[in-house]
Amino acid sequence: MTAEGPALPETFPLATVPVDDAVATQFRLLEHVAAHFEGDELFTADAGVVPGLGRPRTTAKVEAVLADFFGAEDAALVQGAGTGAIRAALNAAVGAGDPLLIHRAPVYRTTDVTLRGIGVETVEADFNDPAALTEALGSGRFRWAYVQHTRQRLGDSYDPGAVLAACAEAGVRTLVDDNYAVLRVPAAGVELGADASCFSLFKLHGPEGVGAVVGARDLVARVREDNYSGGGQVQGHQALDALRALTHVPVMWAVQSRVGAEVAERLTAGEVPGVAEVRLANAQDRCLLVRLDRPVARELPATAKRFGAAPYPVGSNSRYEIAPLFYRMSSSSLDDSPGLADWTVRINPMRAGADLVIDILRRSLDATAADPAPVKD
């Protein structure tokens, strides 16, 4: 059958971490844990606004581990997961009316809410174009720039490290949304020279609602100062739970990246009839974008769940997500390429192997061909 529908744009996936390197990262993390915790402290946790700390002692120790692990001056755990971390960092850095340099692309929906709430003046430049970025930075208007590590548009090709270096050279400080990137790629934003990395620990198998701001001492101090209320603290048991979960994430994500690459290779080779085109992409989380030869992408997730797939995300690599995810493209990607909605499905292997992912896709396409009516939940 002749493939129809809009073609997928060329994508530029971020580098991933090989399994052996991920094992070394896990071991390095435990070395930092041992430097800050005595053994029995890993079995107990405190709560409350401890005098002199303003937060639980356990939380402070986990923050110290994260700061050392990422080579940063300080770290603060916050409520609100990745969105809360981004909101806390932006509130600490910019105020109403301040110009903030951002990439020319659809802004992630929850980040847009934060930017509107603060009332900053967002100014766009195409980070894919070094000359355009240099021109914007040379205007002298900006104290801060905001960089999303993963891709906002499917065709984004900028090197986050190069963007951060250009900002630093111009004397512009940087905040990085490292959701879906931290521990997936070789270096987080703060390790590449950013003033802060903001990310969700829920997306790293931690407990619901916990995020982190890791970076410059003055910025993190402001985050902590703003979050003075006892009810806003990440309690010790939450912090310890997040740390325990973090220890196995590097290897888990390295395996997942390897599986995704295998699935892409096998689908590109024609193993599953009905697949017109495949791209690996950092469309939010690292995933496969699979364009079909029929416009059945909207109903495919509901069909795939009958064969064991997850039809929607919880946190995009949260502890709840073990089955392969078959889902629509992200809202920000569809804002940029709305014509793909009927033709393209997003697949994330999660904890599964390539054989299961391919089997579910094959069976789902067979089922939609036999019953072309949309499947109802």
Side-chain angles (χ1 to χ4, degrees):
M1 177 182 294
T2 301
E4 299 178 353
L8 290 171
E10 183 180 4
T11 57
F12 301 87
L14 298 168
T16 57
V17 179
V19 172
D20 286 348
D21 290 351
V23 171
T25 299
Q26 175 185 313
F27 293 166
R28 182 168 62 85
L29 175 60
L30 265 295
E31 290 167 2
H32 289 294
V33 172
H36 289 279
F37 281 88
E38 295 184 7
D40 57 347
E41 292 176 324
L42 293 170
F43 300 136
T44 59
D46 64 335
V49 184
V50 175
L53 285 176
R55 60 206 190 276
R57 293 183 181 87
T58 306
T59 301
K61 283 179 174 287
V62 172
E63 291 170 342
V65 171
L66 292 176
D68 286 355
F69 175 70
F70 287 104
E73 292 177 346
D74 204 352
L77 297 182
V78 299
Q79 299 287 1
T83 299
I86 292 167
R87 184 167 298 149
L90 282 169
N91 272 296
V94 294
D98 289 347
L100 177 69
L101 182 63
I102 65 172
H103 178 40
R104 182 169 294 139
V107 177
Y108 192 60
R109 297 285 176 85
T110 55
T111 304
D112 187 50
V113 171
T114 296
L115 293 172
R116 286 190 283 110
I118 296 173
V120 296
E121 177 194 358
T122 55
V123 181
E124 296 182 346
D126 187 354
F127 291 177
N128 300 308
D129 181 351
L133 176 61
T134 299
E135 181 180 357
L137 292 170
S139 69
R141 293 187 62 195
F142 307 104
R143 291 191 307 113
W144 288 91
Y146 177 82
V147 181
Q148 183 171 310
H149 202 140
T150 61
R151 305 311 192 187
Q152 291 167 257
R153 298 161 52 195
L154 297 181
D156 279 342
S157 59
Y158 62 83
D159 175 0
V163 171
L164 295 172
C167 291
E169 185 176 354
V172 176
R173 302 185 71 180
T174 46
L175 301 177
V176 175
D177 173 357
D178 263 310
N179 286 302
Y180 310 105
V182 66
L183 295 179
R184 168 83 79 186
V185 300
V190 70
E191 295 172 293
L192 295 171
D195 286 88
S197 286
C198 310
F199 53 91
S200 168
L201 288 164
F202 181 50
K203 295 184 188 301
L204 301 172
H205 273 215
E208 299 88 338
V210 178
V213 179
V214 182
R217 183 171 289 107
D218 65 329
L219 183 78
V220 175
R222 178 65 186 273
V223 169
R224 195 168 285 133
E225 179 183 346
D226 290 346
N227 186 35
Y228 62 87
S229 169
Q233 302 306 315
V234 171
Q235 300 301 332
H237 72 277
Q238 294 175 290
L240 201 55
D241 192 4
L243 181 63
R244 292 189 190 108
L246 203 59
T247 60
H248 68 258
V249 166
V251 174
M252 177 187 72
W253 272 18
V255 171
Q256 183 179 303
S257 296
R258 187 173 68 183
V259 170
E262 180 185 342
V263 173
E265 182 179 353
R266 290 168 62 175
L267 292 179
T268 300
E271 189 165 333
V272 177
V275 172
E277 194 178 15
V278 182
R279 292 276 191 272
L280 279 169
N282 292 93
Q284 294 184 355
D285 200 5
R286 185 178 177 87
C287 61
L288 297 111
L289 302 179
V290 180
R291 181 168 65 86
L292 311 173
D293 64 7
R294 293 176 290 128
V296 295
R298 293 182 190 270
E299 55 261 34
L300 195 72
T303 305
K305 78 172 186 178
R306 291 159 39 190
F307 306 113
Y312 54 82
V314 179
S316 290
N317 269 298
S318 74
R319 61 178 58 182
Y320 296 99
E321 293 160 295
I322 58 173
L325 173 69
F326 280 58
Y327 194 46
R328 62 168 174 79
M329 291 173 58
S330 68
S331 297
S332 54
S333 294
L334 289 176
D335 285 344
D336 192 57
S337 304
L340 295 174
D342 292 321
W343 298 88
T344 303
V345 65
R346 173 169 39 142
I347 299 176
N348 188 324
M350 297 299 178
R351 311 288 83 78
D355 289 345
L356 178 59
V357 175
I358 288 173
D359 181 64
I360 291 174
L361 179 59
R362 180 187 293 111
R363 294 169 73 188
S364 300
L365 288 172
D366 288 346
T368 57
D371 180 14
V375 177
K376 303 293 184 182
D377 280 332

